[in-house]
Amino acid sequence: MGKIVALGGGRFDNGEMDNVTEHIISLTGKKAPLILIIPTASFDNMDENDDVKLCFEKFGCSTDILFLTHENVTEDVIKEKIQKADGIFVQGGNLKFLMDTWKTTGTDKYLLEAYEKGTVLSGASSGAMCWFREGYDDCIDGQFVFVKGLDIIPYINCPHYQSEYWQTFEQAIIGKNISGIACDNGAGFCINDGEYYTVAGNEDGDCYFYDVNNNFKKININKNPEILKTL
């Protein structure tokens, strides 16, 4: 069984996500793990001074980057980088572009294999939605759509839920046939060897469950953690 930390969002440059970063590191079981950062959703717009990269390095990790849009990236390179990583962090951005690119490059296959092997998978925003059955993202000309993810976590995910803009998810999910998980910035929905739980950054943040079996009733998971035992 695998490990996932799926974050609604949050800043990595001001200490807000330090405790969550430390939690991701702890799940690897290594003091100085290799963390592979995948910035596909931002169209590979990332450099050596990226906040997430610097945050992991601050806690003693070594880091690598997988750019999938670069011409010199082959499937062998993709496979090798993913297999070598102790943990993987996927950046936010355009979820549809991310999933389309993963499928055309074979990255999705190697990420699923990494999950089964026990590599810690993590990410924020689109980098969180990708681990779910579907994600709710404004990635088609600024319009919200549901995009299929890797289906490791069998729910629909919505990030940035402290924002009124993203709370349109509450109405959009009605009529779907599966339950939803919405996460504020700073909050994460996680799985560790089959057990669900939540995490929160130093500035807090909650996760919410929308129950398909109860007319999509909204339940604050942080205030009602017992709901996790039913998932």
Side-chain angles (χ1 to χ4, degrees), residues 30-231:
K30 296 186 177 182
K31 185 176 181 180
L34 170 61
I35 304 297
L36 177 66
I37 301 173
I38 306 180
T40 315
S42 65
F43 304 93
D44 282 343
N45 182 19
M46 177 183 167
D47 60 30
E48 293 296 320
N49 295 315
D50 177 81
D51 293 335
V52 172
K53 179 178 181 292
L54 294 177
C55 188
F56 275 108
E57 291 174 351
K58 178 175 69 176
F59 290 106
C61 299
S62 57
T63 60
D64 193 9
I65 306 171
L66 177 56
F67 292 114
L68 294 174
T69 62
H70 291 193
E71 292 182 359
N72 61 342
V73 175
T74 65
E75 186 167 342
D76 286 341
V77 170
I78 294 167
K79 178 181 179 181
E80 180 182 4
K81 282 179 177 276
I82 291 175
Q83 289 183 344
K84 284 176 59 178
D86 301 304
I88 292 169
F89 190 96
V90 180
Q91 300 275 39
N94 187 305
L95 180 61
K96 187 177 188 306
F97 179 78
L98 179 151
M99 293 308 306
D100 289 346
T101 303
W102 283 5
K103 290 174 184 175
T104 58
T105 58
T107 303
D108 55 349
K109 173 180 64 178
Y110 296 116
L111 288 171
L112 289 170
E113 290 177 358
Y115 174 76
E116 293 297 331
K117 188 182 77 171
T119 304
V120 180
L121 307 180
S122 62
S125 191
S126 292
M129 291 187 280
C130 60
W131 313 121
F132 287 79
R133 182 169 298 173
E134 294 183 40
Y136 181 69
D137 193 26
D138 61 343
C139 56
I140 305 295
D141 298 324
Q143 300 297 310
F144 280 104
V145 293
F146 291 99
V147 179
K148 289 185 179 180
L150 293 183
D151 199 14
I152 300 174
I153 302 176
Y155 302 107
I156 305 173
N157 182 235
C158 174
H160 310 301
Y161 208 59
Q162 80 291 339
S163 167
E164 184 177 349
Y165 176 72
W166 288 83
Q167 289 172 16
T168 53
F169 176 71
E170 184 163 330
Q171 290 298 314
I173 195 175
I174 296 174
K176 301 289 286 185
N177 59 0
I178 54 175
S179 298
I181 303 286
C183 300
D184 293 337
N185 281 359
F189 187 78
C190 312
I191 183 170
N192 185 357
D193 295 335
E195 180 179 349
Y196 290 120
Y197 62 99
T198 62
V199 295
N202 296 322
E203 297 179 12
D204 296 324
D206 291 333
C207 296
Y208 304 89
F209 180 63
Y210 284 89
D211 188 358
V212 67
N213 297 313
N214 192 10
N215 296 316
F216 294 97
K217 179 182 178 181
K218 178 182 178 182
I219 301 170
N220 186 313
I221 299 174
N222 297 66
K223 295 180 180 178
N224 301 275
E226 67 278 0
I227 191 68
L228 292 168
K229 297 184 182 300
T230 69
L231 304 184

